[in-house]
Amino acid sequence: APFAAQGAAGMFDQYVIVDSGSTPSFYNIGAAFNPDFQGASLGSFDVATGGTLRLGGQGKSFKNNSTDVTGMQLMYRVFQGAPTGSFTPLSYAFQIDFGNLGNDQQWGSDVAGSNGSAFFTGEILAGLANGSYSLEVFSQITTNGVNESNPVLNNNGGSGFVATFTVVPEPSRAILAFLGLGTLIMRRRRA
C-alpha cells in the first residue's frame, strides 16, 4: 500500500538490492514480497580475497493533485556503534509509467523498464577495517513541491532501515599475523 494514503505523492513497493558478488539478494524497505532489510544480517566479507558489497534498488511512486515526482533515490551510510555520518545518494533511473492515468511510476537501478543494465553503488567495503558495521538505508522521492513536500521520505519513522555486516580478515593472514606476533614475543624473551 502507498505510504501516504491521502498524500499528493508517495512511495510503495520499495526494496533494496544487495550485490555481494554472487546472485543479488532483494530486501524490503516498504514492500511485502522479500525478507526485510531492517534487522537483516548481510554476512561476513573478506576484502583481502575480493569480498564485495554494493547496493541497488527499485521502488514505485504515485502522484496526483498537480504534484509531479521528479526522481527517486536510495540513501545509505555505514557506521560502527551509534549512527553517524552523512548519507550518500544513489539516484534511480525512471523505468516505466503504469497504473490508471499513468500516475504511478517505477524507478530503479535494476534491469527493468527502460534500463539497459543494472547499476549499483560504489564498493561499500572500500577502506573499512575488520569489525562489525551497520548499513542504514532509506528511500526518497523528489517532487515539484506542488501540494506535497519535497522530498518525501520512506525512512522507517525517522530511524532508517538498518542491517548489519562484518568485515573479517582472510584466515591465512590472521594465522600469519598470530604466528608473527608469537615469533616476535619469543625473540624478545631470548634477548
Side-chain angles (χ1 to χ4, degrees):
F3 289 109
Q6 301 299 320
M11 294 171 277
F12 61 105
D13 288 348
Q14 301 285 305
Y15 64 85
V16 174
I17 304 169
V18 176
D19 175 22
S20 57
S22 58
T23 303
S25 300
F26 296 78
Y27 292 92
N28 295 331
I29 58 167
F33 40 86
N34 298 306
D36 288 336
F37 188 84
Q38 177 67 27
S41 173
L42 304 179
S44 294
F45 300 89
D46 185 345
V47 294
T49 60
T52 186
L53 178 61
R54 303 180 307 155
L55 298 178
Q58 187 189 86
K60 296 176 179 145
S61 64
F62 67 88
K63 59 185 180 177
N64 54 53
N65 298 332
S66 299
T67 302
D68 189 22
V69 174
T70 58
M72 185 178 288
Q73 298 84 31
L74 178 69
M75 308 295 287
Y76 66 96
R77 68 178 172 181
V78 175
F79 58 89
Q80 288 184 296
T84 59
S86 58
F87 286 90
T88 301
L90 172 66
S91 292
Y92 291 163
F94 172 77
Q95 294 179 327
I96 57 173
D97 282 317
F98 66 96
N100 63 337
L101 306 176
N103 289 343
D104 294 344
Q105 299 173 317
Q106 182 171 291
W107 308 79
S109 70
D110 59 332
V111 179
S114 60
N115 287 8
S117 60
F119 58 92
F120 296 92
T121 63
E123 180 56 63
I124 290 175
L125 302 176
L128 296 182
N130 296 337
S132 297
Y133 292 88
S134 295
L135 175 58
E136 182 179 1
V137 301
F138 69 91
S139 57
Q140 68 180 22
I141 54 174
T142 52
T143 73
N144 61 356
V146 176
N147 297 316
E148 188 60 73
S149 61
N150 182 43
V152 177
L153 305 178
N154 166 32
N155 64 359
N156 198 23
S159 57
F161 299 91
V162 182
T164 60
F165 67 93
T166 305
V167 176
V168 296
E170 180 182 1
S172 61
R173 289 182 187 219
I175 291 169
L176 287 175
F178 179 73
L179 290 174
L181 180 60
T183 302
L184 180 63
I185 291 170
M186 292 301 291
R187 285 183 181 172
R188 286 191 174 186
R189 284 187 180 170
R190 288 183 192 159

mmCIF file of all heavy atoms in Angstrom, residues 60-100:
data_model
loop_
_atom_site.group_PDB
_atom_site.id
_atom_site.type_symbol
_atom_site.label_atom_id
_atom_site.label_comp_id
_atom_site.label_asym_id
_atom_site.label_seq_id
_atom_site.Cartn_x
_atom_site.Cartn_y
_atom_site.Cartn_z
ATOM 1 N N LYS A 60 8.338 2.241 -6.378
ATOM 2 C CA LYS A 60 7.248 2.819 -7.158
ATOM 3 C C LYS A 60 6.757 4.079 -6.466
ATOM 4 O O LYS A 60 6.829 4.192 -5.248
ATOM 5 C CB LYS A 60 6.125 1.803 -7.309
ATOM 6 C CG LYS A 60 6.574 0.596 -8.090
ATOM 7 C CD LYS A 60 5.516 -0.463 -8.179
ATOM 8 C CE LYS A 60 6.076 -1.623 -9.007
ATOM 9 N NZ LYS A 60 5.606 -2.892 -8.541
ATOM 10 N N SER A 61 6.274 5.009 -7.254
ATOM 11 C CA SER A 61 5.739 6.255 -6.723
ATOM 12 C C SER A 61 4.355 6.498 -7.307
ATOM 13 O O SER A 61 4.013 5.968 -8.361
ATOM 14 C CB SER A 61 6.667 7.428 -7.052
ATOM 15 O OG SER A 61 6.735 7.631 -8.450
ATOM 16 N N PHE A 62 3.574 7.300 -6.589
ATOM 17 C CA PHE A 62 2.301 7.760 -7.121
ATOM 18 C C PHE A 62 2.257 9.272 -7.027
ATOM 19 O O PHE A 62 2.977 9.876 -6.225
ATOM 20 C CB PHE A 62 1.108 7.126 -6.382
ATOM 21 C CG PHE A 62 0.971 7.547 -4.944
ATOM 22 C CD1 PHE A 62 0.248 8.686 -4.598
ATOM 23 C CD2 PHE A 62 1.561 6.803 -3.930
ATOM 24 C CE1 PHE A 62 0.120 9.080 -3.274
ATOM 25 C CE2 PHE A 62 1.432 7.178 -2.602
ATOM 26 C CZ PHE A 62 0.713 8.320 -2.270
ATOM 27 N N LYS A 63 1.422 9.885 -7.863
ATOM 28 C CA LYS A 63 1.304 11.344 -7.871
ATOM 29 C C LYS A 63 -0.105 11.716 -8.309
ATOM 30 O O LYS A 63 -0.732 11.025 -9.100
ATOM 31 C CB LYS A 63 2.339 11.963 -8.802
ATOM 32 C CG LYS A 63 2.230 11.487 -10.248
ATOM 33 C CD LYS A 63 3.332 12.026 -11.110
ATOM 34 C CE LYS A 63 3.178 11.523 -12.548
ATOM 35 N NZ LYS A 63 4.191 12.075 -13.429
ATOM 36 N N ASN A 64 -0.594 12.839 -7.758
ATOM 37 C CA ASN A 64 -1.886 13.392 -8.158
ATOM 38 C C ASN A 64 -1.952 14.839 -7.684
ATOM 39 O O ASN A 64 -0.998 15.347 -7.102
ATOM 40 C CB ASN A 64 -3.047 12.546 -7.610
ATOM 41 C CG ASN A 64 -2.967 12.336 -6.119
ATOM 42 O OD1 ASN A 64 -2.860 13.284 -5.347
ATOM 43 N ND2 ASN A 64 -3.014 11.084 -5.695
ATOM 44 N N ASN A 65 -3.075 15.523 -7.904
ATOM 45 C CA ASN A 65 -3.283 16.906 -7.460
ATOM 46 C C ASN A 65 -2.196 17.863 -7.941
ATOM 47 O O ASN A 65 -1.692 18.675 -7.181
ATOM 48 C CB ASN A 65 -3.389 16.982 -5.931
ATOM 49 C CG ASN A 65 -4.574 16.206 -5.404
ATOM 50 O OD1 ASN A 65 -5.571 16.057 -6.099
ATOM 51 N ND2 ASN A 65 -4.463 15.706 -4.197
ATOM 52 N N SER A 66 -1.790 17.754 -9.197
ATOM 53 C CA SER A 66 -0.773 18.611 -9.828
ATOM 54 C C SER A 66 0.640 18.393 -9.286
ATOM 55 O O SER A 66 1.558 19.144 -9.611
ATOM 56 C CB SER A 66 -1.132 20.100 -9.697
ATOM 57 O OG SER A 66 -2.362 20.360 -10.328
ATOM 58 N N THR A 67 0.823 17.392 -8.441
ATOM 59 C CA THR A 67 2.163 17.066 -7.952
ATOM 60 C C THR A 67 2.863 16.211 -8.992
ATOM 61 O O THR A 67 2.268 15.313 -9.573
ATOM 62 C CB THR A 67 2.092 16.292 -6.618
ATOM 63 O OG1 THR A 67 1.396 17.086 -5.677
ATOM 64 C CG2 THR A 67 3.470 15.956 -6.101
ATOM 65 N N ASP A 68 4.141 16.493 -9.222
ATOM 66 C CA ASP A 68 4.939 15.681 -10.127
ATOM 67 C C ASP A 68 6.101 15.087 -9.353
ATOM 68 O O ASP A 68 6.752 15.775 -8.570
ATOM 69 C CB ASP A 68 5.470 16.532 -11.284
ATOM 70 C CG ASP A 68 6.123 15.686 -12.370
ATOM 71 O OD1 ASP A 68 5.811 14.474 -12.444
ATOM 72 O OD2 ASP A 68 6.934 16.226 -13.137
ATOM 73 N N VAL A 69 6.343 13.809 -9.534
ATOM 74 C CA VAL A 69 7.512 13.144 -8.957
ATOM 75 C C VAL A 69 8.629 13.280 -9.981
ATOM 76 O O VAL A 69 8.488 12.868 -11.131
ATOM 77 C CB VAL A 69 7.226 11.668 -8.627
ATOM 78 C CG1 VAL A 69 8.489 10.960 -8.155
ATOM 79 C CG2 VAL A 69 6.124 11.566 -7.565
ATOM 80 N N THR A 70 9.747 13.866 -9.559
ATOM 81 C CA THR A 70 10.833 14.157 -10.494
ATOM 82 C C THR A 70 12.044 13.251 -10.337
ATOM 83 O O THR A 70 12.964 13.306 -11.146
ATOM 84 C CB THR A 70 11.281 15.622 -10.335
ATOM 85 O OG1 THR A 70 11.688 15.840 -8.977
ATOM 86 C CG2 THR A 70 10.143 16.572 -10.677
ATOM 87 N N GLY A 71 12.062 12.412 -9.297
ATOM 88 C CA GLY A 71 13.177 11.498 -9.111
ATOM 89 C C GLY A 71 13.006 10.660 -7.870
ATOM 90 O O GLY A 71 12.169 10.949 -7.008
ATOM 91 N N MET A 72 13.784 9.600 -7.783
ATOM 92 C CA MET A 72 13.792 8.729 -6.600
ATOM 93 C C MET A 72 15.235 8.355 -6.309
ATOM 94 O O MET A 72 16.025 8.117 -7.224
ATOM 95 C CB MET A 72 12.955 7.476 -6.828
ATOM 96 C CG MET A 72 12.830 6.582 -5.606
ATOM 97 S SD MET A 72 11.787 5.122 -5.871
ATOM 98 C CE MET A 72 10.159 5.863 -5.940
ATOM 99 N N GLN A 73 15.583 8.326 -5.018
ATOM 100 C CA GLN A 73 16.943 7.975 -4.601
ATOM 101 C C GLN A 73 16.904 6.966 -3.457
ATOM 102 O O GLN A 73 15.985 6.961 -2.647
ATOM 103 C CB GLN A 73 17.711 9.208 -4.101
ATOM 104 C CG GLN A 73 17.919 10.301 -5.103
ATOM 105 C CD GLN A 73 16.739 11.238 -5.213
ATOM 106 O OE1 GLN A 73 16.027 11.468 -4.251
ATOM 107 N NE2 GLN A 73 16.508 11.755 -6.399
ATOM 108 N N LEU A 74 17.952 6.164 -3.408
ATOM 109 C CA LEU A 74 18.264 5.341 -2.248
ATOM 110 C C LEU A 74 19.380 6.068 -1.510
ATOM 111 O O LEU A 74 20.395 6.412 -2.119
ATOM 112 C CB LEU A 74 18.739 3.950 -2.668
ATOM 113 C CG LEU A 74 19.141 3.029 -1.521
ATOM 114 C CD1 LEU A 74 17.911 2.622 -0.699
ATOM 115 C CD2 LEU A 74 19.845 1.787 -2.048
ATOM 116 N N MET A 75 19.190 6.318 -0.236
ATOM 117 C CA MET A 75 20.195 6.992 0.585
ATOM 118 C C MET A 75 20.807 5.936 1.508
ATOM 119 O O MET A 75 20.080 5.119 2.081
ATOM 120 C CB MET A 75 19.556 8.102 1.404
ATOM 121 C CG MET A 75 18.727 9.080 0.573
ATOM 122 S SD MET A 75 19.699 10.029 -0.591
ATOM 123 C CE MET A 75 20.533 11.142 0.526
ATOM 124 N N TYR A 76 22.145 5.952 1.685
ATOM 125 C CA TYR A 76 22.789 4.936 2.512
ATOM 126 C C TYR A 76 23.995 5.514 3.250
ATOM 127 O O TYR A 76 24.605 6.482 2.827
ATOM 128 C CB TYR A 76 23.208 3.724 1.666
ATOM 129 C CG TYR A 76 24.288 4.010 0.656
ATOM 130 C CD1 TYR A 76 25.623 3.750 0.944
ATOM 131 C CD2 TYR A 76 23.979 4.553 -0.587
ATOM 132 C CE1 TYR A 76 26.625 4.012 0.022
ATOM 133 C CE2 TYR A 76 24.975 4.830 -1.516
ATOM 134 C CZ TYR A 76 26.288 4.554 -1.205
ATOM 135 O OH TYR A 76 27.283 4.820 -2.114
ATOM 136 N N ARG A 77 24.302 4.881 4.399
ATOM 137 C CA ARG A 77 25.519 5.208 5.146
ATOM 138 C C ARG A 77 25.940 3.985 5.943
ATOM 139 O O ARG A 77 25.128 3.125 6.279
ATOM 140 C CB ARG A 77 25.323 6.410 6.065
ATOM 141 C CG ARG A 77 24.388 6.172 7.235
ATOM 142 C CD ARG A 77 24.299 7.396 8.114
ATOM 143 N NE ARG A 77 23.271 7.237 9.138
ATOM 144 C CZ ARG A 77 22.975 8.162 10.025
ATOM 145 N NH1 ARG A 77 23.629 9.317 10.031
ATOM 146 N NH2 ARG A 77 22.027 7.963 10.921
ATOM 147 N N VAL A 78 27.237 3.920 6.245
ATOM 148 C CA VAL A 78 27.827 2.832 7.027
ATOM 149 C C VAL A 78 28.415 3.427 8.288
ATOM 150 O O VAL A 78 29.051 4.482 8.246
ATOM 151 C CB VAL A 78 28.936 2.120 6.212
ATOM 152 C CG1 VAL A 78 29.650 1.075 7.052
ATOM 153 C CG2 VAL A 78 28.359 1.498 4.953
ATOM 154 N N PHE A 79 28.219 2.751 9.417
ATOM 155 C CA PHE A 79 28.778 3.241 10.680
ATOM 156 C C PHE A 79 29.004 2.078 11.633
ATOM 157 O O PHE A 79 28.466 0.987 11.446
ATOM 158 C CB PHE A 79 27.857 4.302 11.319
ATOM 159 C CG PHE A 79 26.458 3.818 11.595
ATOM 160 C CD1 PHE A 79 26.138 3.209 12.798
ATOM 161 C CD2 PHE A 79 25.460 3.976 10.647
ATOM 162 C CE1 PHE A 79 24.856 2.772 13.047
ATOM 163 C CE2 PHE A 79 24.172 3.536 10.890
ATOM 164 C CZ PHE A 79 23.870 2.934 12.102
ATOM 165 N N GLN A 80 29.817 2.342 12.659
ATOM 166 C CA GLN A 80 30.019 1.427 13.779
ATOM 167 C C GLN A 80 29.480 2.109 15.024
ATOM 168 O O GLN A 80 29.689 3.311 15.212
ATOM 169 C CB GLN A 80 31.497 1.094 13.979
ATOM 170 C CG GLN A 80 32.061 0.180 12.912
ATOM 171 C CD GLN A 80 33.500 -0.193 13.205
ATOM 172 O OE1 GLN A 80 34.366 0.660 13.216
ATOM 173 N NE2 GLN A 80 33.743 -1.479 13.413
ATOM 174 N N GLY A 81 28.797 1.359 15.886
ATOM 175 C CA GLY A 81 28.249 1.942 17.103
ATOM 176 C C GLY A 81 27.035 2.793 16.815
ATOM 177 O O GLY A 81 26.139 2.406 16.076
ATOM 178 N N ALA A 82 27.000 4.001 17.380
ATOM 179 C CA ALA A 82 25.869 4.913 17.193
ATOM 180 C C ALA A 82 25.848 5.445 15.767
ATOM 181 O O ALA A 82 26.902 5.653 15.164
ATOM 182 C CB ALA A 82 25.967 6.069 18.184
ATOM 183 N N PRO A 83 24.652 5.694 15.217
ATOM 184 C CA PRO A 83 24.558 6.220 13.849
ATOM 185 C C PRO A 83 25.273 7.558 13.698
ATOM 186 O O PRO A 83 25.024 8.492 14.445
ATOM 187 C CB PRO A 83 23.050 6.403 13.647
ATOM 188 C CG PRO A 83 22.411 5.484 14.627
ATOM 189 C CD PRO A 83 23.336 5.436 15.807
ATOM 190 N N THR A 84 26.202 7.617 12.757
ATOM 191 C CA THR A 84 26.953 8.843 12.464
ATOM 192 C C THR A 84 27.225 8.918 10.973
ATOM 193 O O THR A 84 27.143 7.922 10.265
ATOM 194 C CB THR A 84 28.306 8.884 13.202
ATOM 195 O OG1 THR A 84 29.083 7.736 12.793
ATOM 196 C CG2 THR A 84 28.138 8.874 14.700
ATOM 197 N N GLY A 85 27.594 10.104 10.535
ATOM 198 C CA GLY A 85 27.984 10.291 9.143
ATOM 199 C C GLY A 85 26.812 10.684 8.267
ATOM 200 O O GLY A 85 25.657 10.509 8.616
ATOM 201 N N SER A 86 27.152 11.216 7.116
ATOM 202 C CA SER A 86 26.124 11.656 6.182
ATOM 203 C C SER A 86 25.731 10.517 5.250
ATOM 204 O O SER A 86 26.464 9.539 5.089
ATOM 205 C CB SER A 86 26.619 12.859 5.382
ATOM 206 O OG SER A 86 27.792 12.517 4.688
ATOM 207 N N PHE A 87 24.590 10.674 4.638
ATOM 208 C CA PHE A 87 24.082 9.683 3.692
ATOM 209 C C PHE A 87 24.603 9.982 2.297
ATOM 210 O O PHE A 87 24.762 11.140 1.912
ATOM 211 C CB PHE A 87 22.554 9.689 3.680
ATOM 212 C CG PHE A 87 21.932 9.051 4.890
ATOM 213 C CD1 PHE A 87 21.643 9.813 6.003
ATOM 214 C CD2 PHE A 87 21.658 7.696 4.916
ATOM 215 C CE1 PHE A 87 21.074 9.236 7.124
ATOM 216 C CE2 PHE A 87 21.095 7.115 6.024
ATOM 217 C CZ PHE A 87 20.795 7.883 7.142
ATOM 218 N N THR A 88 24.842 8.920 1.537
ATOM 219 C CA THR A 88 25.250 9.021 0.146
ATOM 220 C C THR A 88 24.060 8.623 -0.718
ATOM 221 O O THR A 88 23.423 7.601 -0.451
ATOM 222 C CB THR A 88 26.438 8.075 -0.136
ATOM 223 O OG1 THR A 88 27.515 8.434 0.731
ATOM 224 C CG2 THR A 88 26.878 8.156 -1.579
ATOM 225 N N PRO A 89 23.732 9.401 -1.751
ATOM 226 C CA PRO A 89 22.585 9.048 -2.590
ATOM 227 C C PRO A 89 22.966 8.148 -3.765
ATOM 228 O O PRO A 89 24.054 8.254 -4.324
ATOM 229 C CB PRO A 89 22.109 10.405 -3.107
ATOM 230 C CG PRO A 89 23.361 11.217 -3.186
ATOM 231 C CD PRO A 89 24.242 10.742 -2.045
ATOM 232 N N LEU A 90 22.046 7.265 -4.116
ATOM 233 C CA LEU A 90 22.087 6.530 -5.374
ATOM 234 C C LEU A 90 20.804 6.907 -6.102
ATOM 235 O O LEU A 90 19.718 6.529 -5.655
ATOM 236 C CB LEU A 90 22.154 5.019 -5.157
ATOM 237 C CG LEU A 90 22.013 4.174 -6.437
ATOM 238 C CD1 LEU A 90 23.198 4.390 -7.373
ATOM 239 C CD2 LEU A 90 21.848 2.693 -6.103
ATOM 240 N N SER A 91 20.918 7.684 -7.171
ATOM 241 C CA SER A 91 19.735 8.112 -7.920
ATOM 242 C C SER A 91 19.274 6.985 -8.825
ATOM 243 O O SER A 91 20.068 6.424 -9.592
ATOM 244 C CB SER A 91 20.041 9.357 -8.747
ATOM 245 O OG SER A 91 20.272 10.454 -7.898
ATOM 246 N N TYR A 92 17.994 6.660 -8.721
ATOM 247 C CA TYR A 92 17.399 5.636 -9.579
ATOM 248 C C TYR A 92 17.073 6.230 -10.949
ATOM 249 O O TYR A 92 16.798 7.420 -11.070
ATOM 250 C CB TYR A 92 16.098 5.118 -8.977
ATOM 251 C CG TYR A 92 16.221 4.293 -7.723
ATOM 252 C CD1 TYR A 92 15.101 4.083 -6.931
ATOM 253 C CD2 TYR A 92 17.413 3.699 -7.326
ATOM 254 C CE1 TYR A 92 15.162 3.313 -5.784
ATOM 255 C CE2 TYR A 92 17.494 2.938 -6.179
ATOM 256 C CZ TYR A 92 16.357 2.739 -5.415
ATOM 257 O OH TYR A 92 16.421 1.971 -4.283
ATOM 258 N N ALA A 93 17.037 5.378 -11.945
ATOM 259 C CA ALA A 93 16.587 5.767 -13.272
ATOM 260 C C ALA A 93 15.068 5.607 -13.340
ATOM 261 O O ALA A 93 14.500 4.716 -12.710
ATOM 262 C CB ALA A 93 17.250 4.897 -14.335
ATOM 263 N N PHE A 94 14.413 6.471 -14.114
ATOM 264 C CA PHE A 94 12.993 6.285 -14.388
ATOM 265 C C PHE A 94 12.854 5.035 -15.242
ATOM 266 O O PHE A 94 13.593 4.848 -16.204
ATOM 267 C CB PHE A 94 12.412 7.502 -15.112
ATOM 268 C CG PHE A 94 11.004 7.276 -15.579
ATOM 269 C CD1 PHE A 94 9.955 7.335 -14.690
ATOM 270 C CD2 PHE A 94 10.748 6.964 -16.905
ATOM 271 C CE1 PHE A 94 8.650 7.103 -15.106
ATOM 272 C CE2 PHE A 94 9.459 6.736 -17.338
ATOM 273 C CZ PHE A 94 8.405 6.803 -16.434
ATOM 274 N N GLN A 95 11.881 4.173 -14.915
ATOM 275 C CA GLN A 95 11.720 2.940 -15.683
ATOM 276 C C GLN A 95 10.429 2.905 -16.496
ATOM 277 O O GLN A 95 10.486 2.788 -17.705
ATOM 278 C CB GLN A 95 11.817 1.726 -14.753
ATOM 279 C CG GLN A 95 13.218 1.585 -14.167
ATOM 280 C CD GLN A 95 13.369 0.420 -13.220
ATOM 281 O OE1 GLN A 95 12.433 0.046 -12.509
ATOM 282 N NE2 GLN A 95 14.557 -0.151 -13.184
ATOM 283 N N ILE A 96 9.275 3.023 -15.848
ATOM 284 C CA ILE A 96 8.012 2.941 -16.589
ATOM 285 C C ILE A 96 6.911 3.722 -15.880
ATOM 286 O O ILE A 96 6.943 3.905 -14.671
ATOM 287 C CB ILE A 96 7.536 1.482 -16.782
ATOM 288 C CG1 ILE A 96 7.392 0.764 -15.434
ATOM 289 C CG2 ILE A 96 8.437 0.706 -17.717
ATOM 290 C CD1 ILE A 96 6.769 -0.617 -15.516
ATOM 291 N N ASP A 97 5.913 4.154 -16.669
ATOM 292 C CA ASP A 97 4.627 4.625 -16.155
ATOM 293 C C ASP A 97 3.691 3.429 -16.142
ATOM 294 O O ASP A 97 3.708 2.610 -17.065
ATOM 295 C CB ASP A 97 4.019 5.688 -17.087
ATOM 296 C CG ASP A 97 4.652 7.051 -16.922
ATOM 297 O OD1 ASP A 97 4.877 7.466 -15.774
ATOM 298 O OD2 ASP A 97 4.901 7.704 -17.953
ATOM 299 N N PHE A 98 2.868 3.312 -15.118
ATOM 300 C CA PHE A 98 1.870 2.248 -15.091
ATOM 301 C C PHE A 98 0.709 2.717 -14.220
ATOM 302 O O PHE A 98 0.761 3.771 -13.599
ATOM 303 C CB PHE A 98 2.454 0.925 -14.570
ATOM 304 C CG PHE A 98 2.868 0.964 -13.124
ATOM 305 C CD1 PHE A 98 2.026 0.505 -12.133
ATOM 306 C CD2 PHE A 98 4.106 1.470 -12.756
ATOM 307 C CE1 PHE A 98 2.394 0.553 -10.802
ATOM 308 C CE2 PHE A 98 4.490 1.521 -11.431
ATOM 309 C CZ PHE A 98 3.633 1.057 -10.447
ATOM 310 N N GLY A 99 -0.329 1.923 -14.174
ATOM 311 C CA GLY A 99 -1.485 2.278 -13.347
ATOM 312 C C GLY A 99 -2.434 3.194 -14.086
ATOM 313 O O GLY A 99 -2.225 3.567 -15.240
ATOM 314 N N ASN A 100 -3.497 3.569 -13.394
ATOM 315 C CA ASN A 100 -4.522 4.403 -14.030
ATOM 316 C C ASN A 100 -3.975 5.797 -14.314
ATOM 317 O O ASN A 100 -3.307 6.404 -13.495
ATOM 318 C CB ASN A 100 -5.768 4.467 -13.157
ATOM 319 C CG ASN A 100 -5.509 5.126 -11.803
ATOM 320 O OD1 ASN A 100 -4.385 5.152 -11.334
ATOM 321 N ND2 ASN A 100 -6.542 5.654 -11.205
#
